[in-house]
Each structure stands twice: as structure tokens, then as C-alpha cells.
């Protein structure tokens, strides 16, 4: 049996935000804002949901690999390889540039 294809993504989380969204790049990590508080894993689940929706993968295929209690996390995405992950992210956010924010 073969192991499924997985990718890892560095993420910087901003909990308690006014909206849940992918907000651009932050020092080599993808910045993800979420309305969920960083309590009892709620922000972790919310970040996984935001990424799953943006990357068009099932929510169950996105999990925290490292950094459960930190703003800086490594997320694991099952089912897509690194080049495909980068391609999907480039559709959402320009590579290595901060996204324009509106308030």
C-alpha cells in the first residue's frame, strides 16, 4: 500500500480577526486570519477550514502538523503535492508579496 501524497505549508495565524481569510504572505509563511479565538483548538480548526475551502480539498485532509499552541504553524495537506499546492496558492495570493487588505 502506498502512502498518500502530502504537502506541508507554513502558516502564521491571526485569531480573533473580523473575518476569516487568507491575507497574503508573512515572512515566508501564509497569513491566515480567523474569527475564532485561540481557545480549545477552535482557531486551529478554523484555519484548517479556511485552507481546505481555499485549496479545494476536504476539511479532513487539512491538519496541524506542528505548532498547535502557536501562531506559527505547519499545516499538512493530504492529496496534493508541493507543486500543486504552490499553483493553487498562487491563484489566491501573489507569491512572496503581501496581499492588499481592505477595511
Amino acid at each position: 500500500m502506498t502512502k498518500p501524497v502530502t504537502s506541508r505549508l507554513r502558516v502564521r495565524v491571526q485569531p480573533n480577526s473580523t473575518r476569516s481569510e487568507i491575507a497574503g504572505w508573512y515572512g515566508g509563511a501564509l497569513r491566515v486570519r480567523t474569527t475564532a479565538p485561540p481557545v480549545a483548538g477552535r482557531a486551529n480548526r478554523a484555519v484548517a477550514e479556511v485552507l481546505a475551502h481555499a485549496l479545494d480539498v476536504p476539511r479532513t485532509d487539512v491538519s496541524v502538523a506542528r505548532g498547535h499552541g502557536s501562531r506559527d504553524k505547519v499545516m499538512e495537506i493530504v492529496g496534493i503535492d508541493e507543486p500543486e499546492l504552490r499553483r493553487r496558492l498562487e491563484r489566491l495570493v501573489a507569491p512572496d508579496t503581501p496581499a492588499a487588505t481592505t477595511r
Side-chain angles (χ1 to χ4, degrees), residues 2-81:
T2 61
K3 186 176 177 181
V5 174
T6 62
S7 299
R8 290 197 172 204
L9 175 65
R10 289 183 50 221
V11 173
R12 173 76 172 194
V13 178
Q14 184 176 344
N16 290 323
S17 186
T18 56
R19 59 184 158 189
S20 294
E21 64 185 353
I22 292 177
W25 294 99
Y26 176 84
L30 188 67
R31 180 181 295 244
V32 178
R33 294 183 180 133
T34 179
T35 58
V39 177
R42 289 169 60 187
N44 290 340
R45 287 189 297 275
V47 167
E49 288 174 15
V50 168
L51 288 173
H53 179 74
L55 297 171
D56 195 29
V57 297
R59 162 56 192 97
T60 55
D61 287 352
V62 180
S63 61
V64 178
R66 194 169 67 225
H68 286 79
S70 172
R71 284 177 173 247
D72 297 310
K73 302 182 184 307
V74 175
M75 303 297 290
E76 184 171 76
I77 300 100
V78 176
I80 57 176
D81 59 13

